[in-house]
């Protein structure tokens, strides 16, 4: 199904934003801003304005999400009806506004039921039918996803409902191994710093009075990892101006992981993401097809901050200022 859509549409590799993690990149796709600018700088993070509080992926507090406006909020403000069948942040009320239709996320809700909900929305009369819809599959089996997209397309065709599809993933994946683990306790005793996040990178906050010792331990050369203070993260990551970025960021070489406590599941070959967004293994998936899109074939690599501009054009939404543009897609859009 994806191959058939690609044959009459556009597709290609898409570079995620750093860090190449789930929530930062989902928010980039719907705001057009890098994590440094939209404020979701990690799957787990802290903010000095909320001492002692930790953002985790289930957080629905608008405080964490309000540094950028997602496209469904812009759409609603402009009188364009939106509906979200799951997306990170889609359950959050911003400026007193939500999508016209939205479901609280449940991993137990099957893909079939997710599709059925979308089809029910699209059956409505034009005045209450959403013009912008998000649909999220957390399935990692590409054959299953392909089948679900085919079923969705068939049902939309049966309704006689023309749709522009923009199909994306948030990041790529690379092989990890228990033979490639960096142990933080071998660098510095854990009682001198607070670990905000570990795994494919480490987010570290020195405890009061220990700043010099923590910086000396982590900023020195490491064989399979490099660490920086927030203000010295290389410019190519576009990461480090937001105060939610950790005081010290440690980034392993691709395929290596960094842990304080190695998780029990890490006993064999696995997959990981969160690395340098320029690594080819971190590339995400992109495909677009529909009546507003010309058959253009494979596009060259582009950054995912541009997806927002494409979706805004297709949905008739006037976009907010963003870090991306319509340029990668403009030649392939029906005038």
């Amino acid at each position: 199904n994806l191959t058939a859509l690609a044959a009459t549409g556009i597709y290609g590799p898409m570079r995620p934003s750093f860090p190449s993690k789930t929530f930062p990149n989902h928010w980039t796709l719907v705001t057009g801003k890098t994590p440094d600018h939209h404020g979701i700088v990690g799957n787990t993070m802290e903010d000095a304005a909320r001492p002692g509080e930790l953002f985790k992926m289930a957080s629905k507090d608008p405080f964490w999400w309000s540094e950028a406006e997602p496209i469904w909020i812009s759409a609603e403000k402009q009188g364009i009806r939106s509906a979200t069948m799951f997306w990170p942040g889609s359950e959050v009320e911003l400026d007193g506004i939500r999508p016209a239709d939205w479901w609280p996320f449940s991993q137990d809700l099957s893909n079939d039921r997710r599709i059925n909900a979308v089809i029910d929305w699209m059956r409505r009369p034009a005045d209450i039918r959403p013009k912008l819809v998000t649909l999220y599959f957390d399935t990692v089996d590409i054959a299953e996803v392909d089948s679900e997209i085919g079923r969705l397309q068939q049902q939309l065709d049966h309704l006689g409902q023309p749709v522009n599809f923009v199909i994306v993933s948030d990041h790529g994946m690379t092989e990890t191994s228990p033979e490639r683990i960096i142990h933080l306790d071998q660098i510095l005793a854990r009682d001198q710093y607070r670990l905000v996040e570990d795994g494919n990178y480490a987010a570290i906050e020195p405890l009061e009075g220990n700043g010099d010792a923590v910086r000396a331990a982590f900023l020195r050369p490491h064989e399979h990892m490099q660490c920086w203070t927030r203000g010295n993260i290389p410019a190519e990551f576009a990461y480090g101006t937001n105060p939610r970025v950790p005081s010290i960021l440690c980034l392993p070489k691709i395929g290596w992981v960094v842990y304080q406590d190695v998780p029990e599941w890490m006993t064999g070959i696995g997959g990981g993401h969160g690395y340098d967004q320029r690594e080819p293994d971190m590339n995400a998936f992109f495909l677009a097809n529909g009546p507003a899109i010309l058959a253009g074939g494979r596009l060259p690599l582009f950054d995912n901050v541009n997806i927002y501009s494409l979706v805004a054009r297709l949905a008739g939404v006037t976009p907010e200022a963003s870090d991306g543009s319509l340029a990668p897609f403009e030649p392939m859009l029906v005038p």
Side-chain angles (χ1 to χ4, degrees):
N1 295 296
L2 290 168
T3 300
L5 287 169
T8 55
I10 53 177
Y11 66 95
M14 180 172 70
R15 184 165 39 223
S17 298
F18 185 84
S20 50
K21 285 286 194 178
T22 300
F23 270 45
N25 278 282
H26 273 87
W27 209 232
T28 289
L29 290 164
V30 296
T31 64
K33 296 184 177 183
T34 63
D36 215 34
H37 292 159
H38 63 51
I40 305 299
V41 302
N43 284 348
T44 307
M45 61 183 177
E46 295 182 342
D47 191 308
R50 294 279 187 92
E53 189 173 329
L54 197 64
F55 170 90
K56 292 195 173 182
M57 292 187 285
S59 176
K60 301 176 183 64
D61 186 336
F63 168 80
W64 297 101
W65 302 90
S66 58
E67 291 187 12
E69 184 172 283
I71 192 166
W72 52 78
I73 300 295
S74 301
E76 293 292 336
K77 287 180 176 179
Q78 296 170 32
I80 297 170
R81 192 179 181 102
S82 67
T84 57
M85 177 42 61
F86 305 160
W87 197 273
S90 63
E91 299 177 49
V92 180
E93 183 178 290
L94 294 172
D95 296 334
I97 300 170
R98 292 185 188 272
D101 298 283
W102 62 278
W103 285 33
F105 178 70
S106 170
Q107 203 161 19
D108 295 330
L109 195 70
S110 69
N111 290 339
D112 277 356
R113 291 185 63 196
R114 299 179 196 194
I115 288 172
N116 290 343
V118 170
I119 294 300
D120 284 344
W121 292 335
M122 301 308 288
R123 280 197 184 99
R124 293 175 177 173
D127 60 333
I128 56 169
R129 184 189 310 137
K131 191 170 182 183
L132 169 67
V133 177
T134 71
L135 172 60
Y136 171 61
F137 297 133
D138 45 357
T139 309
V140 295
D141 185 326
I142 190 65
E144 184 179 342
V145 171
D146 184 84
S147 176
E148 299 292 352
I149 289 171
R151 194 169 74 82
L152 174 64
Q153 186 182 19
Q154 281 184 335
Q155 294 199 44
L156 289 167
D157 288 346
H158 182 70
L159 291 176
Q161 187 63 253
V163 166
N164 291 300
F165 287 98
V166 178
I167 303 169
V168 293
S169 66
D170 48 351
H171 52 70
M173 195 76 78
T174 200
E175 184 183 284
T176 59
S177 165
E179 297 177 0
R180 295 191 296 271
I181 299 176
I182 299 160
H183 296 271
L184 289 170
D185 284 349
Q186 294 177 7
I187 297 174
L188 187 68
R190 64 177 66 191
D191 61 1
Q192 297 196 50
Y193 63 92
R194 186 169 64 256
L195 182 65
V196 178
E197 190 166 11
D198 60 0
N200 306 107
Y201 65 86
I204 291 168
E205 294 295 338
L207 295 178
E208 189 172 353
N210 291 338
D212 288 344
V214 173
R215 283 187 288 272
F218 286 105
L219 298 182
R220 65 179 175 81
H222 300 278
E223 188 177 3
H224 302 293
M225 179 177 74
Q226 188 167 1
C227 302
W228 306 274
T229 57
R230 181 192 297 129
N232 288 305
I233 297 171
E236 51 265 32
F237 294 110
Y239 193 72
T241 63
N242 195 296
R244 294 176 179 176
V245 171
S247 295
I248 297 175
L249 173 74
C250 292
L251 185 65
K253 291 179 180 177
I254 191 164
W256 284 77
V257 291
V258 53
Y259 282 112
Q260 207 170 61
D261 297 306
V262 180
E264 290 182 7
W265 51 261
M266 194 152 192
T267 57
I269 299 299
H273 56 92
Y275 299 104
D276 186 333
Q277 80 279 13
R278 297 166 299 170
E279 292 283 355
D281 277 4
M282 293 299 99
N283 284 349
F285 178 88
F286 163 78
L287 187 158
N289 179 294
I293 297 160
L294 302 172
R298 184 181 174 91
L299 301 183
L301 179 69
F302 65 91
D303 292 313
N304 70 347
V305 290
N306 298 301
I307 289 291
Y308 170 80
S309 299
L310 174 62
V311 175
R313 165 66 72 86
L314 296 174
V317 175
T318 301
E320 295 284 299
S322 76
D323 297 320
S325 77
L326 199 60
F329 321 106
E330 207 150 22
M332 302 304 161
L333 298 177
V334 174

